[in-house]
Amino acid sequence: MTSLLRREFLLRALAACGTVAYASAGPRGAEAAGAVPGAARSISAGYFGDQVDAVRVIGEAHLRQLGVEAGDASIRSAARTTLAMIERARDQPRAIRALEQAVRQDFERGRTVQVEGWILSKTEADLCALSLLEDDLSR
Amino acid sequence: MYDRGRAAQMQIDARTLEQGTTIEADVCIAGAGAAGMTIALDLLGSGLSVVLLESGGPARDDQNDALSEGRMTGIDTWDLRRMRIRALGGTTGHWNGWCRPLMRQDFEQHDHIPYSGWPLKYADVVPWFRKACRTLEIGEFQWDADERARATGKRLLPVSDIIEQRYYQFSPPTRFASKYGPVLAQASDVRVLTFANVVDVRLDDSRRRVDGFLCRTLTGTTFRVHAGRYVLALGGVENARVLLASRSQQREGVANGHDVVGRYFMEHPHYYRAIGGVHPSALDLGFYRRGESDWRRPDGSAVQMLGALGLAAEVSRRERLLNFSATFQAPGTAPSTPAPVVEDRLPPAAAQALVTRGRGGYETTLLTVRAEQSPMPDSRITLTAEVDALGMPRVALDWRIAPEDDVQMRRAMVLLARELGAKGLVRLRVPGDATRFVWRQDPGGHHMGATRMGRDPKVSVVDVNCRTHEVQNLYISGASVFTTGGDSNPTLTVVAFAHRLANTLRSERRQERSTG
């Protein structure tokens, strides 16, 4: 995928999410976002060490609890803050570091959700949901 | 085992007494468990003659145990017959040796805990806690987890200061009958009467002093003990039962002018299989597994210890939470209670992905949480119309927990989960939601509060010296005097307060002598 296509995908995805990242996606924002190889689903897989099946179980439970259907648009909408964080990162290692920090801060600041009793960071629950995306790049 | 031969000297089987006998003493202690035996031991050599009454004999038997039967009308706790032991040594005959003192904050008054606040401070009790450590054969009265971790070469979990690291020490456990029974039996100033049950606390004409304990055996012998001072040390339920049942002169019983006896009954809710967790296999939980401490007893055996997690006192105060301590269940140990109350729809294998993220193995764990409950007047012991073989009314135990307690405890668990999550140590599963709690509360067999300590006779039965507000020469010893229960197993605190009460009795004796 060319960088132009990738940038286009990201802008469209963020537009669908309605995030502030879209509003700030001027030339600099777009350039930064465009540096992300692949997108949310693959970042999620990278973050969790490819334990996709396990992570999907959590993602499904999280969405079920939110009353959100497991479609790409609704997942992106539900996880828009986390998605925006991924998009802001310049590459996958940076994205993962940012996510690690966000998870820690979530716990410290009480931004937790409860999924089937488990106390999880909002960010990691979102990441699990993002692993359910059918396709990262087709929108 | 209790050596009956050695112990024969001053031990009298009350069934052999002549009908109508009166026994005289300076101090009469009813109950030869941890509290009663501790007081009797401390009074040795004081110049006070002591009579120690025990409902049972050297060993447990069904006939005596049946006297403890009662009805559960509230939360179903373990049956009283099984929990209590009517024999020399009392419940120390089957306790597991868990020791931790009530904590500094447990003695304080808290706005969010109704009826909290002891009439004395933690510091007032510390000398007696130190003595109790020796009585219970544990290590020093030292509860700094950092220091203990350094001394044992174990590592504490790297949590922030919102978490307070704690630990239990374990008594061998001390069986009072075998450890201290022979000492009392050989003492010239203590008479131990076995198979002797107090069935009525008789007051003098003023109703302000006890005139005698009316006692009965299961074989029908009735006798009386007349003493200068009387101590009830019968256990957390029986102390209240005897006061309530002593209504031959007053309809409300003894020391119960304000209808407080039996109320404010507390337990330690134990949550065994509700809080699950996953953590990386590499996580070092050595401090939190029961193992040897650096302390050694005179016989060379090591005092065992077990690390636990609670919330810092300041956090509990700020967040308006009850006290609790959480321990990690040892791997491979069988659950001690029935199936989980929450169906585990999200398997640990899913949650493990969050903590290991594909790097290394994981382990599942369960936390056992021992919690405080708020005192509440409606959680209470009352008498039923049914009587036991001695003609004593049996009790109805209506153990209750305020709904707010459950919500508080759940919030406390979420705070713990957040801290462990922030440090990437453990992910916790906490059942319930913010308004509904689905933990199953198991009891600890810790019967507290039914003759509680306080300054105000309208909400307490005994004063700061464990003396009843209404009856000048009647004292109570045991967990029934606890104003609040904290989360610590009560035996160490019970023994500490028994030492303190013995000191009070000795002081009063000295004072009487000096004033002629």
Side-chain angles (χ1 to χ4, degrees), chain A residues 10-30:
Chain A
L10 290 167
L11 289 171
R12 285 173 62 184
L14 291 172
C17 298
T19 62
V20 289
Y22 178 68
S24 64
R28 274 187 65 193

Side-chain angles (χ1 to χ4, degrees), chain B residues 439-454:
Chain B
W439 287 5
R440 170 183 160 156
Q441 295 115 344
D442 285 291
H446 307 155
H447 300 153
M448 304 173 289
T451 63
R452 68 200 304 261
M453 181 186 288

Side-chain angles (χ1 to χ4, degrees), chain A residues 47-49 51 54-55 57-58 96 100 103-104 107-108 110 112 114-120 124 128, chain B residues 277-278 345-346 349-354 356-359 410 414 417-418 421-422 427-430 432:
Chain A
Y47 182 89
F48 289 116
Q51 298 178 100
V55 165
V57 173
I58 299 171
I96 289 178
E100 287 170 340
V103 168
R104 191 168 58 246
F107 278 118
E108 286 169 353
T112 52
Q114 191 162 357
V115 181
E116 300 289 3
W118 294 90
I119 308 295
L120 308 180
E124 66 186 355
C128 293
Chain B
V278 290
R345 285 184 294 179
L346 184 62
Q352 62 91 16
L354 306 179
T356 65
R357 294 171 48 202
R359 290 170 283 182
R410 191 180 171 285
V414 171
R418 286 175 179 166
R427 289 291 192 284
L428 287 186
R429 187 198 67 187
V430 181

